[in-house]
Amino acid sequence: MKNAITNYENTFYFNGSSLSGVISVDGSYSLDYSPINVIGKGFLKQVMSSVPSANMSVSRYLTSDDPILRTTGQRGRLATSFNAGLYYNDKYFAFTEGYLNSYGLSCAVGEIPTIQSEFEVYGDIGPNFNPSGDRYAGSVFVPQVKNILLTTKNSTTNRITDFNIDYSIPKSAIYGLSSTNSQLPLEVHNEYPIEVTSSFTMEIDDYQTKSIFDDLTTSSASEFSINIKASILNDLNLETAAGEQLVSADNNEYNSQNKGDDPSIFSFSASDAVIVSEQVSSTSDDVMSVNLSY
């Protein structure tokens, strides 16, 4: 009986970088077949009736460096492709022509922020490409309360307990008749506009609900922002009172870590968002809350 492959024996790579903090990976493809029937003979055979479709999704913890997030900033009609896949036991399940289809970030009090990414794959997916590389994409980031800065309607006096934000980035592939590489599209286009949805849950203190018909007579534009910072530790040399560098018996310098800068690793702000739902909840065993969806 062969052994199973455990979770620490496989690695997910994205454009040659091994991603840390990966919680789950799901990849699949589907083939659409249709029968050919003729009069007097009936069923002859089955043929592939459409271009094979494949996709892969990745769930992971937020890290200090996220190469997937950088693909959300593409501008222009043409989409940029990337390669990615799983490497396990000297085998691969990978692709060379992938495009980001959706990206989401969520977090709640007492939890590590998590990212959900979904890729749309054109062309081949499977064991014919080695996705591994020698780059490493950041360590898992565990934020403190002060590292997550959120603002939304009435958030200055009402406590935000969780939030999520999701980017929908659909793609459109254009195929042509070709004697070579016919399995790949000639071009893949971004479909605009890119839709961003977000929601916040707040414990109610002095929150005032919104009238459902307010948007008919007043401006419906609202504002919200999300900013997550990372605490970076810098090496600090230890010195004596006389200013001499402390060294160990084998002449290694003694260092400590001093808190450095707090760069932003994720930020998003909207000044023209529209509240599409407002859900007020109250139960016998919890505080009153409201969920705002933009």
Side-chain angles (χ1 to χ4, degrees):
M1 182 176 179
K2 292 187 177 180
N3 295 323
I5 297 177
T6 57
N7 57 349
Y8 57 83
E9 293 178 301
N10 56 78
T11 305
F12 184 80
Y13 288 90
F14 182 89
N15 268 348
S17 297
S18 62
L19 299 188
S20 61
V22 175
I23 303 171
S24 65
V25 178
D26 292 290
S28 64
Y29 63 83
S30 60
L31 305 175
D32 187 11
Y33 280 88
S34 296
I36 295 179
N37 301 319
V38 297
I39 295 176
K41 180 70 175 178
F43 173 76
L44 292 180
K45 62 182 297 186
Q46 291 195 89
V47 296
M48 193 177 296
S49 58
S50 63
V51 177
S53 61
N55 60 75
M56 184 173 286
S57 60
V58 179
S59 177
R60 53 194 288 258
Y61 293 120
L62 182 62
T63 63
S64 58
D65 180 27
D66 184 8
I68 301 178
L69 177 60
R70 291 195 290 269
T71 63
T72 62
Q74 298 177 11
R75 296 184 179 273
R77 181 64 61 180
L78 290 179
T80 302
S81 66
F82 50 80
N83 62 74
L86 272 175
Y87 174 83
Y88 63 98
N89 197 22
D90 291 330
K91 297 180 177 62
Y92 327 108
F93 183 73
F95 57 84
T96 59
E97 293 285 336
Y99 298 85
L100 185 64
N101 209 33
S102 66
Y103 184 93
L105 173 66
S106 60
C107 185
V109 172
E111 298 179 357
I112 302 174
T114 57
I115 300 169
Q116 299 80 37
S117 308
E118 184 176 342
F119 313 134
E120 193 163 354
V121 180
Y122 298 102
D124 194 17
I125 184 172
N128 299 322
F129 168 69
N130 183 354
S132 60
D134 56 2
R135 298 190 298 274
Y136 177 72
S139 56
V140 174
F141 169 65
V142 182
Q144 302 178 53
V145 174
K146 63 184 179 59
N147 292 127
I148 303 179
L149 307 177
L150 310 175
T151 61
T152 186
K153 179 185 176 183
N154 296 140
S155 61
T156 55
T157 55
N158 298 268
R159 295 165 294 280
I160 297 177
T161 58
D162 65 67
F163 78 93
N164 67 71
I165 183 169
D166 296 284
Y167 299 76
S168 178
I169 317 170
K171 301 293 186 291
S172 176
I174 299 175
Y175 288 88
L177 298 177
S178 173
S179 59
T180 59
N181 292 330
S182 57
Q183 73 273 21
L184 295 176
L186 299 177
E187 292 180 347
V188 177
H189 289 180
N190 292 309
E191 293 185 0
Y192 290 98
I194 293 176
E195 182 179 355
V196 180
T197 59
S198 183
S199 66
F200 299 83
T201 299
M202 294 190 299
E203 295 179 348
I204 293 180
D205 182 3
D206 59 357
Y207 181 82
Q208 177 61 57
T209 60
K210 177 182 177 182
S211 172
I212 193 172
F213 292 110
D214 280 352
D215 289 350
L216 295 178
T217 57
T218 60
S219 174
S220 60
S222 301
E223 298 181 357
F224 74 86
S225 66
I226 301 172
N227 189 20
I228 302 178
K229 296 183 178 182
S231 294
I232 306 299
L233 299 178
N234 297 329
D235 286 336
L236 178 66
N237 294 331
L238 297 181
E239 298 178 347
T240 65
E244 298 178 351
Q245 174 65 45
L246 291 178
V247 295
S248 61
D250 52 359
N251 290 324
N252 290 324
E253 294 181 350
Y254 282 115
N255 294 322
S256 67
Q257 288 189 317
N258 180 40
K259 184 178 178 300
D261 298 328
D262 287 336
S264 176
I265 60 175
F266 179 89
S267 63
F268 182 88
S269 62
S271 59
D272 56 353
V274 176
I275 295 180
V276 294
S277 73
E278 186 180 50
Q279 179 182 356
V280 177
S281 302
S282 180
T283 63
S284 60
D285 57 356
D286 204 352
V287 298
M288 192 174 181
S289 64
V290 60
N291 182 269
L292 301 175
S293 297
Y294 293 89

